[in-house]
Amino acid sequence: MAANPGVLESMRLAYAAYDRGDAAPLLDLFAEDGVIRFTAPESFLHFAGPSSGPEGARKALTAISEIFAWESYKIYEMLVDGDSVFAITGGMLRHKETDQRTEVQLGDLIRFQRGRIVEFVEFFDSAGLRAWVKRAGTPSNTALNGGRGGGSGASRGASPGDEGDASGESATRAGASCSQSAADALRHSVSANNKTAANKDLLSRCYDAYAACDPQPLVSLFDDEASYNAVARCEDFSFAGPCHGRRAVLENIARIHADYDLEKYAVTRMIAQDDLVAVHADVGFRYKSTGNLVAIDKIDLFRMRDGKIIEFNEFFDTASAVDMREGA
Protein backbone atom coordinates (compact mmCIF):
# COMPACT_ATOMS: atom_id res chain seq x y z
CA MET A 1 0.00 0.00 0.00
CA ALA A 2 1.05 3.62 -0.39
CA ALA A 3 0.30 7.04 1.04
CA ASN A 4 -3.32 8.05 0.53
CA PRO A 5 -3.46 11.76 -0.42
CA GLY A 6 -7.10 12.09 0.68
CA VAL A 7 -6.45 10.64 4.13
CA LEU A 8 -3.25 12.67 4.45
CA GLU A 9 -4.99 15.95 3.63
CA SER A 10 -7.94 15.17 5.94
CA MET A 11 -5.65 14.58 8.88
CA ARG A 12 -3.48 17.62 8.10
CA LEU A 13 -6.53 19.86 8.13
CA ALA A 14 -7.98 18.22 11.25
CA TYR A 15 -4.73 18.55 13.22
CA ALA A 16 -4.23 22.14 12.04
CA ALA A 17 -7.72 23.03 13.24
CA TYR A 18 -7.16 21.24 16.55
CA ASP A 19 -4.00 23.34 16.99
CA ARG A 20 -6.27 26.42 16.70
CA GLY A 21 -8.60 25.03 19.35
CA ASP A 22 -11.20 23.83 16.86
CA ALA A 23 -12.00 20.11 17.19
CA ALA A 24 -14.92 20.20 14.72
CA PRO A 25 -12.97 19.07 11.60
CA LEU A 26 -11.63 16.06 13.51
CA LEU A 27 -15.07 15.18 14.88
CA ASP A 28 -16.58 15.52 11.40
CA LEU A 29 -14.27 12.74 10.19
CA PHE A 30 -15.67 10.14 12.59
CA ALA A 31 -17.93 7.44 11.18
CA GLU A 32 -21.15 6.70 13.01
CA ASP A 33 -19.56 3.48 14.27
CA GLY A 34 -16.11 5.03 14.71
CA VAL A 35 -14.40 4.43 18.05
CA ILE A 36 -12.00 6.69 19.95
CA ARG A 37 -9.92 5.34 22.83
CA PHE A 38 -7.15 6.69 25.07
CA THR A 39 -4.63 4.22 26.48
CA ALA A 40 -4.96 4.92 30.20
CA PRO A 41 -6.88 3.35 33.10
CA GLU A 42 -10.40 4.70 33.44
CA SER A 43 -9.72 4.98 37.17
CA PHE A 44 -7.29 7.77 36.21
CA LEU A 45 -9.01 9.29 33.17
CA HIS A 46 -12.73 8.51 33.18
CA PHE A 47 -12.99 9.23 29.45
CA ALA A 48 -10.18 6.83 28.49
CA GLY A 49 -12.38 3.87 27.54
CA PRO A 50 -13.91 3.44 24.07
CA SER A 51 -16.42 6.05 22.92
CA SER A 52 -18.43 5.63 19.72
CA GLY A 53 -19.39 7.92 16.88
CA PRO A 54 -18.98 11.67 16.42
CA GLU A 55 -20.95 12.37 19.59
CA GLY A 56 -18.88 9.95 21.67
CA ALA A 57 -15.69 11.50 20.30
CA ARG A 58 -17.02 14.98 21.09
CA LYS A 59 -17.77 14.00 24.69
CA ALA A 60 -14.30 12.47 25.08
CA LEU A 61 -12.54 15.57 23.73
CA THR A 62 -14.76 17.81 25.86
CA ALA A 63 -13.81 15.78 28.94
CA ILE A 64 -10.13 16.29 28.10
CA SER A 65 -10.62 20.04 27.72
CA GLU A 66 -12.26 20.22 31.14
CA ILE A 67 -9.06 18.89 32.76
CA PHE A 68 -6.25 19.95 30.43
CA ALA A 69 -5.44 22.81 28.06
CA TRP A 70 -2.91 22.82 25.23
CA GLU A 71 -0.66 25.88 25.32
CA SER A 72 1.15 24.65 22.21
CA TYR A 73 0.43 21.76 19.88
CA LYS A 74 2.12 20.36 16.79
CA ILE A 75 2.71 17.30 14.63
CA TYR A 76 6.19 15.78 14.87
CA GLU A 77 5.67 12.93 12.40
CA MET A 78 2.81 11.56 10.33
CA LEU A 79 2.82 8.34 8.32
CA VAL A 80 0.01 7.43 5.94
CA ASP A 81 -0.22 3.94 4.48
CA GLY A 82 -3.45 3.25 2.62
CA ASP A 83 -6.27 3.83 5.11
CA SER A 84 -4.00 3.76 8.18
CA VAL A 85 -2.29 6.70 9.87
CA PHE A 86 0.20 6.99 12.68
CA ALA A 87 1.09 10.45 13.98
CA ILE A 88 3.35 11.74 16.74
CA THR A 89 1.73 14.87 18.15
CA GLY A 90 1.88 16.89 21.34
CA GLY A 91 3.21 20.04 22.92
CA MET A 92 2.93 22.00 26.15
CA LEU A 93 0.06 20.80 28.32
CA ARG A 94 -1.46 22.68 31.27
CA HIS A 95 -3.40 21.03 34.08
CA LYS A 96 -6.24 23.44 34.80
CA GLU A 97 -6.70 22.58 38.47
CA THR A 98 -3.04 22.93 39.49
CA ASP A 99 -1.89 25.28 36.69
CA GLN A 100 1.26 23.16 36.27
CA ARG A 101 2.71 22.67 32.79
CA THR A 102 4.64 19.88 31.11
CA GLU A 103 5.70 18.77 27.65
CA VAL A 104 3.68 15.77 26.44
CA GLN A 105 3.96 13.72 23.27
CA LEU A 106 1.31 11.36 21.95
CA GLY A 107 1.11 8.53 19.46
CA ASP A 108 -2.14 8.57 17.46
CA LEU A 109 -3.12 5.39 15.62
CA ILE A 110 -5.96 6.04 13.16
CA ARG A 111 -7.82 3.85 10.70
CA PHE A 112 -10.14 5.08 7.95
CA GLN A 113 -12.90 3.38 5.98
CA ARG A 114 -14.55 5.13 3.03
CA GLY A 115 -13.03 8.44 4.08
CA ARG A 116 -14.21 8.28 7.70
CA ILE A 117 -12.38 7.42 10.93
CA VAL A 118 -13.45 4.06 12.30
CA GLU A 119 -10.68 3.78 14.90
CA PHE A 120 -8.64 6.39 16.79
CA VAL A 121 -6.34 5.20 19.57
CA GLU A 122 -4.04 7.58 21.44
CA PHE A 123 -0.93 6.28 23.24
CA PHE A 124 1.08 8.23 25.81
CA ASP A 125 2.99 7.83 29.06
CA SER A 126 -0.13 7.46 31.19
CA ALA A 127 1.81 6.56 34.36
CA GLY A 128 3.93 9.69 33.98
CA LEU A 129 0.86 11.84 33.33
CA ARG A 130 -0.84 10.33 36.38
CA ALA A 131 2.19 11.11 38.52
CA TRP A 132 2.33 14.64 37.11
CA VAL A 133 -1.32 15.30 37.96
CA LYS A 134 -0.52 14.17 41.52
CA ARG A 135 2.59 16.42 41.50
CA ALA A 136 4.81 13.36 41.79
CA GLY A 137 6.77 13.51 38.53
CA THR A 138 6.49 14.32 34.83
CA PRO A 139 5.65 12.24 31.74
CA SER A 140 8.40 10.92 29.53
CA ASN A 141 8.75 12.22 25.97
CA THR A 142 10.05 10.72 22.76
CA ALA A 143 13.46 11.52 21.35
CA LEU A 144 12.53 11.89 17.70
CA ASN A 145 15.55 12.92 15.66
CA GLY A 146 13.99 13.48 12.26
CA GLY A 147 10.57 14.79 13.18
CA ARG A 148 11.27 17.70 15.50
CA GLY A 149 10.82 21.21 14.31
CA GLY A 150 8.14 20.31 11.76
CA GLY A 151 5.55 22.57 13.34
CA SER A 152 1.81 22.21 13.15
CA GLY A 153 0.75 20.33 10.06
CA ALA A 154 4.23 18.98 9.27
CA SER A 155 4.34 15.40 8.02
CA ARG A 156 6.43 12.89 6.16
CA GLY A 157 3.95 12.76 3.29
CA ALA A 158 3.33 15.41 0.65
CA SER A 159 0.09 16.35 -1.02
CA PRO A 160 -0.10 16.27 -4.81
CA GLY A 161 1.53 19.40 -6.18
CA ASP A 162 3.73 19.96 -3.12
CA GLU A 163 6.91 19.56 -5.14
CA GLY A 164 7.79 23.22 -4.56
CA ASP A 165 10.76 24.54 -6.51
CA ALA A 166 11.26 21.31 -8.39
CA SER A 167 7.78 21.43 -9.99
CA GLY A 168 8.10 25.14 -10.74
CA GLU A 169 11.41 24.63 -12.48
CA SER A 170 10.17 21.71 -14.55
CA ALA A 171 7.17 23.78 -15.69
CA THR A 172 9.52 26.24 -17.42
CA ARG A 173 11.48 23.61 -19.31
CA ALA A 174 10.80 22.48 -22.87
CA GLY A 175 9.31 19.08 -23.78
CA ALA A 176 12.37 16.82 -23.46
CA SER A 177 13.36 18.35 -20.15
CA CYS A 178 9.79 17.99 -18.83
CA SER A 179 9.76 14.35 -19.86
CA GLN A 180 13.09 13.79 -18.14
CA SER A 181 11.80 15.48 -14.96
CA ALA A 182 8.69 13.29 -15.00
CA ALA A 183 10.80 10.18 -15.50
CA ASP A 184 13.06 11.15 -12.62
CA ALA A 185 10.04 11.73 -10.38
CA LEU A 186 8.60 8.34 -11.36
CA ARG A 187 11.90 6.58 -10.65
CA HIS A 188 12.10 8.34 -7.29
CA SER A 189 8.54 7.29 -6.46
CA VAL A 190 9.20 3.67 -7.44
CA SER A 191 12.45 3.67 -5.47
CA ALA A 192 10.73 5.10 -2.38
CA ASN A 193 7.91 2.57 -2.65
CA ASN A 194 10.39 -0.27 -3.02
CA LYS A 195 12.33 0.93 0.01
CA THR A 196 9.15 1.25 2.06
CA ALA A 197 8.01 -2.25 1.09
CA ALA A 198 11.46 -3.67 1.87
CA ASN A 199 11.51 -2.06 5.33
CA LYS A 200 8.04 -3.39 6.04
CA ASP A 201 8.90 -6.91 4.91
CA LEU A 202 12.16 -6.95 6.85
CA LEU A 203 10.53 -5.89 10.11
CA SER A 204 7.61 -8.26 9.56
CA ARG A 205 9.99 -11.21 9.41
CA CYS A 206 11.82 -9.97 12.51
CA TYR A 207 8.56 -9.73 14.46
CA ASP A 208 7.59 -13.25 13.40
CA ALA A 209 10.85 -14.45 14.90
CA TYR A 210 10.40 -12.32 18.03
CA ALA A 211 6.93 -13.77 18.59
CA ALA A 212 8.58 -17.20 18.46
CA CYS A 213 10.94 -16.05 21.26
CA ASP A 214 13.85 -15.40 18.92
CA PRO A 215 14.86 -11.71 19.29
CA GLN A 216 18.13 -12.10 17.36
CA PRO A 217 16.86 -11.09 13.87
CA LEU A 218 15.44 -7.84 15.29
CA VAL A 219 18.44 -7.19 17.51
CA SER A 220 20.80 -7.64 14.56
CA LEU A 221 19.17 -4.73 12.71
CA PHE A 222 20.19 -2.02 15.16
CA ASP A 223 22.80 0.30 13.67
CA ASP A 224 25.94 1.20 15.62
CA GLU A 225 24.50 4.69 16.09
CA ALA A 226 20.92 3.61 16.80
CA SER A 227 18.76 5.28 19.43
CA TYR A 228 16.00 3.65 21.46
CA ASN A 229 13.38 5.29 23.64
CA ALA A 230 10.62 3.55 25.55
CA VAL A 231 8.26 6.45 26.25
CA ALA A 232 8.01 5.81 29.97
CA ARG A 233 9.66 6.94 33.21
CA CYS A 234 12.74 5.25 34.62
CA GLU A 235 10.91 5.24 37.96
CA ASP A 236 8.37 2.85 36.43
CA PHE A 237 10.44 0.69 34.06
CA SER A 238 14.11 -0.27 34.13
CA PHE A 239 14.32 0.01 30.33
CA ALA A 240 12.57 3.39 30.04
CA GLY A 241 13.94 6.59 28.57
CA PRO A 242 16.29 7.27 25.68
CA CYS A 243 19.58 5.50 25.06
CA HIS A 244 22.03 5.88 22.20
CA GLY A 245 24.40 3.55 20.43
CA ARG A 246 24.03 -0.14 19.63
CA ARG A 247 25.64 -1.33 22.85
CA ALA A 248 23.31 0.79 25.02
CA VAL A 249 20.28 -0.33 23.00
CA LEU A 250 21.14 -4.01 23.45
CA GLU A 251 21.70 -3.49 27.16
CA ASN A 252 18.28 -1.88 27.39
CA ILE A 253 16.63 -4.78 25.57
CA ALA A 254 18.40 -7.16 27.95
CA ARG A 255 16.79 -5.31 30.87
CA ILE A 256 13.36 -6.04 29.42
CA HIS A 257 14.06 -9.76 29.25
CA ALA A 258 15.62 -9.71 32.70
CA ASP A 259 12.36 -8.40 34.15
CA TYR A 260 9.76 -10.03 31.89
CA ASP A 261 9.04 -13.29 30.09
CA LEU A 262 7.34 -12.99 26.71
CA GLU A 263 4.02 -14.80 26.43
CA LYS A 264 2.39 -13.15 23.42
CA TYR A 265 3.42 -10.82 20.62
CA ALA A 266 0.80 -10.48 17.89
CA VAL A 267 1.29 -7.78 15.26
CA THR A 268 -2.08 -6.37 14.20
CA ARG A 269 -0.95 -3.67 11.76
CA MET A 270 2.13 -2.20 10.10
CA ILE A 271 2.13 1.33 8.70
CA ALA A 272 5.08 2.31 6.53
CA GLN A 273 6.06 5.41 4.61
CA ASP A 274 9.49 6.34 3.33
CA ASP A 275 12.02 5.48 6.05
CA LEU A 276 9.46 5.11 8.88
CA VAL A 277 7.56 2.00 9.98
CA ALA A 278 4.98 1.90 12.78
CA VAL A 279 4.06 -1.50 14.24
CA HIS A 280 0.89 -1.99 16.30
CA ALA A 281 0.85 -5.16 18.42
CA ASP A 282 -1.06 -6.91 21.19
CA VAL A 283 1.50 -8.17 23.68
CA GLY A 284 1.65 -10.13 26.88
CA PHE A 285 4.62 -10.21 29.25
CA ARG A 286 4.89 -12.06 32.56
CA TYR A 287 6.56 -9.92 35.22
CA LYS A 288 9.07 -12.21 36.89
CA SER A 289 9.02 -10.59 40.31
CA THR A 290 5.27 -10.95 40.85
CA GLY A 291 4.25 -13.53 38.27
CA ASN A 292 1.55 -11.15 37.04
CA LEU A 293 0.65 -10.90 33.37
CA VAL A 294 0.98 -7.50 31.69
CA ALA A 295 -1.31 -7.57 28.63
CA ILE A 296 -1.47 -4.36 26.60
CA ASP A 297 -1.33 -3.05 23.05
CA LYS A 298 1.60 -0.92 21.96
CA ILE A 299 3.09 0.98 19.05
CA ASP A 300 6.71 0.71 17.92
CA LEU A 301 8.02 3.40 15.57
CA PHE A 302 11.19 2.67 13.59
CA ARG A 303 13.32 4.90 11.43
CA MET A 304 15.29 2.81 8.94
CA ARG A 305 18.41 3.49 6.88
CA ASP A 306 19.89 1.00 4.41
CA GLY A 307 18.14 -1.92 6.07
CA LYS A 308 19.22 -0.93 9.58
CA ILE A 309 17.31 0.54 12.50
CA ILE A 310 18.65 3.98 13.39
CA GLU A 311 15.81 5.08 15.67
CA PHE A 312 13.23 3.19 17.71
CA ASN A 313 10.48 4.65 19.91
CA GLU A 314 7.77 2.65 21.66
CA PHE A 315 4.48 3.86 23.12
CA PHE A 316 2.19 1.95 25.47
CA ASP A 317 -0.27 2.42 28.33
CA THR A 318 2.34 2.68 31.06
CA ALA A 319 -0.14 3.20 33.91
CA SER A 320 -2.12 0.05 33.09
CA ALA A 321 1.14 -1.85 32.65
CA VAL A 322 2.31 -0.78 36.12
CA ASP A 323 -1.06 -1.62 37.67
CA MET A 324 -1.19 -5.09 36.09
CA ARG A 325 2.42 -5.75 36.98
CA GLU A 326 1.84 -4.91 40.65
CA GLY A 327 -1.63 -6.49 40.82
CA ALA A 328 -3.27 -3.14 41.59
Side-chain angles (χ1 to χ4, degrees):
M1 300 180 78
N4 184 326
V7 168
L8 174 64
E9 186 63 14
S10 292
M11 289 311 304
R12 276 179 164 173
L13 293 173
Y15 277 128
Y18 192 72
D19 179 30
R20 299 191 301 269
D22 179 9
L26 178 60
L27 295 174
D28 288 344
L29 288 176
F30 272 85
E32 288 302 320
D33 59 348
V35 174
I36 187 169
R37 174 170 64 91
F38 302 89
T39 56
E42 291 182 56
S43 58
F44 165 46
L45 299 175
H46 66 87
F47 54 81
S51 299
S52 299
E55 182 60 18
R58 185 192 65 78
K59 289 180 178 178
L61 294 182
T62 298
I64 293 173
S65 67
E66 290 172 350
I67 303 172
F68 305 107
W70 287 109
E71 298 204 339
S72 66
Y73 184 85
K74 65 178 71 174
I75 300 174
Y76 295 101
E77 293 282 7
M78 185 159 65
L79 298 73
V80 179
D81 187 354
D83 285 337
S84 293
V85 178
F86 182 64
I88 306 293
T89 69
M92 185 62 65
L93 191 69
R94 178 171 62 87
H95 186 228
K96 290 185 174 180
E97 182 179 344
T98 64
D99 205 39
Q100 59 180 338
R101 294 161 173 79
T102 190
E103 186 81 14
V104 174
Q105 288 180 351
L106 316 166
D108 294 344
L109 177 66
I110 306 154
R111 182 164 57 89
F112 280 74
Q113 283 183 0
R114 296 181 293 277
R116 289 287 182 266
I117 294 173
V118 295
E119 181 184 19
F120 189 112
V121 184
E122 189 159 86
F123 295 81
F124 53 97
D125 178 16
S126 48
L129 191 69
R130 183 169 62 182
W132 174 67
V133 167
K134 296 178 179 178
R135 297 180 179 268
T138 58
S140 178
N141 294 317
T142 62
L144 296 172
N145 294 325
R148 290 192 179 279
S152 178
S155 75
R156 302 293 299 174
S159 298
D162 274 1
E163 299 299 327
D165 292 340
S167 62
E169 182 181 356
S170 66
T172 64
R173 294 177 181 173
S177 296
C178 288
S179 298
Q180 184 62 44
S181 178
D184 289 344
L186 178 61
R187 279 194 294 270
H188 176 77
S189 176
V190 170
S191 175
N193 288 338
N194 288 341
K195 180 177 69 173
T196 299
N199 288 337
K200 204 175 191 178
D201 179 66
L202 180 60
L203 286 171
S204 180
R205 287 185 278 114
C206 288
Y207 272 94
D208 287 344
Y210 194 87
C213 297
D214 179 12
Q216 190 54 39
L218 183 62
V219 166
S220 68
L221 291 186
F222 282 97
D223 187 81
D224 288 343
E225 299 179 359
S227 65
Y228 169 30
N229 184 25
V231 185
R233 305 188 311 156
C234 295
E235 297 95 321
D236 298 320
F237 299 92
S238 63
F239 55 88
C243 62
H244 303 276
R246 176 179 169 81
R247 180 175 178 178
V249 169
L250 299 190
E251 288 174 351
N252 225 29
I253 293 174
R255 292 188 189 98
I256 298 174
H257 293 285
D259 292 342
Y260 299 88
D261 287 323
L262 176 66
E263 296 210 353
K264 175 187 177 182
Y265 214 112
V267 172
T268 60
R269 194 178 325 165
M270 298 185 78
I271 303 169
Q273 185 179 345
D274 300 331
D275 57 352
L276 293 174
V277 182
V279 181
H280 181 222
D282 288 326
V283 305
F285 287 89
R286 186 75 62 179
Y287 187 50
K288 294 180 180 181
S289 294
T290 63
N292 291 331
L293 179 66
V294 177
I296 53 173
D297 63 330
K298 66 192 290 286
I299 283 280
D300 296 339
L301 178 63
F302 296 91
R303 191 184 305 278
M304 307 293 292
R305 183 178 63 201
D306 300 327
K308 291 288 189 179
I309 299 167
I310 59 171
E311 186 179 347
F312 173 36
N313 296 281
E314 61 177 339
F315 296 78
F316 59 101
D317 179 358
T318 53
S320 291
V322 168
D323 293 348
M324 284 184 274
R325 184 185 70 192
E326 305 302 332

